[in-house]
Amino acid sequence: MVTPILARDLAALGRVSEETSSESVLRGLTTTLAGGVPGCAGGSAELWRGERVVVSASHSELILLVDSEADLGEGPSAEVRETGRPVIVQDVLRDSRWPAYAGMAVRCGVRTVLSMPITVERSVLVLGLYGVLPGVFAARNVPPLADMLAEQVTVALANMWDYDEVRTDAAQMQEALAGRAVIDQAKGIIMKSSGCSAEAAFDELRRISQHHQVKVADLARLLVEEHQRNQRSS
C-alpha cells in the first residue's frame, strides 16, 4: 500500500508558500491518497481542533458522505474519533455496524472504507480512504501506511501552522510600525500648532483617546487625515 510515488507526493505537502492553508494541505492530501494508494478511488480528511472542523475530499460525493455521519449519528469516522483507532469496512453491504451509513456509502459509489486518526499537536485529523470494490484494503497494510501518513502529515501541518504564525507576526509588526508612524505625524501636528514638546503632544493624544475611548493610533490617523484635508483646501 505504501509506494515510492506516494511517499514522494506526501513529502511535497510539507512545502509551504503564500497560498498554503489548512484547506490546500488537506485537499492535496486527499488527492494524493486517491492517486497513490492502490485500490483507493477517493480520500477525505477532517481536521478537528476542538469542536471546529475543516473537511476536504477528493470528490464532492465524499464530502456529502462525511457530512452525513453527523446527521446519521453513525459511521466509521465517528467511531475513529471516539476510539482513536483505525476502522476498516471491507464491504459496506456486508457490514452490519452502520446500516444507514452503508446505504449512503453505496449511493456515493463506495464499497470499502478505511478510516484512521492522526493526532497533530492539539488537533485530530481523521483520514478516509474509499474503494469502489469490496476488500481493497488489507488489514496488514494499514500500520505502515498509518505510520507514514502520520509522519508526513504532521510535518506538513506543522510547517503550515508555523508559516501562518510567522505571517501573523509580520502583519502585526507591520501594523504596529504603521501605527507608530502615524502617531509621530500626529505629534508633529500638535507640536507645530501648540508649540509643546513631543512628550506633551503624546500625552494630549492619549488624554483625548481615553476620553473618547478611541485607540491612540486611530485618533492619530483621524488627526492626520483632517490636517491633510485642510492643507488641500487652503
Side-chain angles (χ1 to χ4, degrees), residues 78-212:
E79 179 156 325
V80 165
R81 288 186 61 213
E82 183 177 343
T83 65
R85 295 190 298 271
V87 171
I88 300 180
V89 183
Q90 295 291 2
D91 188 348
V92 295
L93 293 180
R94 297 179 179 274
D95 195 297
S96 60
R97 285 175 288 183
W98 312 294
Y101 173 84
M104 185 65 183
V106 171
R107 286 194 291 275
C108 293
V110 171
R111 288 290 298 274
T112 305
V113 182
L114 168 59
S115 188
M116 63 180 72
I118 296 174
T119 301
V120 185
E121 295 184 5
R122 293 180 298 277
S123 306
V124 176
L125 179 66
V126 179
L127 295 179
L129 287 74
Y130 307 88
V132 297
L133 298 174
V136 294
F137 303 131
R140 67 178 181 277
N141 293 330
V142 173
L145 176 63
D147 289 343
M148 186 182 69
L149 286 172
E151 179 180 354
Q152 299 294 350
V153 171
T154 298
V155 170
L157 290 175
N159 287 351
M160 185 268 297
W161 288 330
D162 287 345
Y163 190 61
D164 276 350
E165 186 174 345
V166 170
R167 283 191 295 194
T168 299
D169 290 345
Q172 290 174 342
M173 181 176 294
Q174 187 174 9
E175 183 179 354
L177 290 174
R180 178 63 181 271
V182 77
I183 289 172
D184 286 342
Q185 285 182 273
K187 284 164 55 180
I189 294 169
I190 295 173
M191 291 164 64
K192 185 176 181 180
S193 64
S194 65
C196 67
S197 66
E199 183 178 356
F202 182 74
D203 287 342
E204 180 65 7
L205 273 175
R206 185 167 53 187
R207 183 189 67 78
I208 297 172
S209 73
Q210 290 173 347
H211 178 73
H212 293 282

Side-chain angles (χ1 to χ4, degrees), residues 31-43:
T31 302
T32 298
L33 293 175
V37 176
C40 183

